[in-house]
Amino acid sequence: MRVGQARKRDANENVIVEALEHIGIVVMKISGEGCPDLLCYSRGSWLAVEVKMPGGSLTTAQIAARSLAPYPVVESVADALSLFGVRA
């Protein structure tokens, strides 16, 4: 599911989404200035997650947003799965 305006997505995002959905996480792709890329639902809780290519950097808007409401940044499937207590 996709919510928000269209924008360029990181190349590793789809494989991360597929891995999360495979373990039963509900994933919504979202976008907007400073917004994280994914909104994930698991076991009654929501978690916002930013996806970056390895070595990628946050935008100024993302840095500002994370200072108000911190959200994790993942670069790999292993990073993403670890947020939900799963080892890759």
Side-chain angles (χ1 to χ4, degrees), residues 17-51:
V17 169
E18 288 172 12
L20 291 172
E21 290 177 338
H22 181 74
I23 64 165
I25 308 298
V26 175
V27 181
M28 289 186 255
K29 293 181 179 183
I30 59 176
S31 60
E33 189 174 355
C35 288
D37 294 315
L38 308 176
L39 187 57
C40 303
Y41 182 78
S42 175
R43 300 180 185 168
S45 296
W46 290 97
L47 179 64
V49 179
E50 174 63 24
V51 176

Side-chain angles (χ1 to χ4, degrees), residues 2 5 7 11 14 20 29 31 34 37 39 43-44 53-55 61 63 65 70-71 73 77-78 83:
R2 182 164 198 166
Q5 64 198 32
R7 66 170 188 77
N14 285 336
L20 291 172
K29 293 181 179 183
S31 60
D37 294 315
L39 187 57
R43 300 180 185 168
M53 288 297 295
I63 293 168
Y71 50 81
V73 178
V77 168
L83 295 174

